[in-house]
Amino acid sequence: MGINTEFLNSKDLITNGVKDDKLIEICELINATHYLSGPAAKDYIVLEKFEKSNIGLEYIVYEYKEYKQLHGDFNHYVSIFDVLFNCGPESMSFILNEKKEIAFAPSV
């Protein structure tokens, strides 16, 4: 995928929170200014907590153009691994075309 960045496992970070509080703690520990989430997290993320912490919050909008999947009709509700395993080197053309919904953008 051409990603060259350090990977951190959240299990290696000392946090006390759960759900969105844990996400905010992790962002603060690594000095993150933005958090990109999947759409399902809207069910538990409280936007005001991110605003209070001045951490930008965006949701990815999964609208992959259809590609050939191994079994049956095209299913939009799959992970990034489905795209990677079904499309190989062409995966990035699907992934990079994703839209994002900005929930909160901190003022600079």
Side-chain angles (χ1 to χ4, degrees):
M1 290 181 54
I3 297 173
N4 184 17
T5 189
E6 180 183 1
F7 174 79
L8 296 172
N9 189 329
S10 63
K11 292 179 183 179
D12 297 334
L13 302 172
I14 299 170
T15 60
N16 297 312
V18 294
K19 297 187 179 183
D20 54 352
D21 293 321
K22 181 174 184 139
L23 296 175
I24 291 169
E25 281 185 58
I26 291 170
C27 288
E28 290 173 340
L29 283 170
I30 63 172
N31 297 315
T33 59
H34 289 78
Y35 180 74
L36 176 62
S37 178
K42 285 183 181 182
D43 292 344
Y44 69 83
I45 285 181
V46 178
L47 175 61
E48 292 78 16
K49 291 180 182 182
F50 280 80
E51 291 173 337
K52 184 178 178 185
S53 299
N54 206 34
I55 297 171
L57 175 62
E58 297 179 46
Y59 293 98
I60 195 161
V61 178
Y62 293 109
E63 293 180 358
Y64 291 132
K65 58 184 178 180
E66 292 190 13
Y67 53 87
K68 184 171 174 39
Q69 291 176 321
L70 188 58
H71 301 288
D73 294 334
F74 184 77
N75 180 354
H76 286 275
Y77 303 103
V78 294
S79 76
I80 192 171
F81 294 108
D82 188 76
V83 179
L84 292 171
F85 288 121
N86 281 294
C87 300
E90 295 177 27
S91 297
M92 292 308 290
S93 68
F94 293 92
I95 295 166
L96 293 177
N97 286 323
E98 286 306 308
K99 300 175 190 169
K100 295 176 187 71
E101 172 190 325
I102 299 173
F104 170 69
S107 55
V108 178

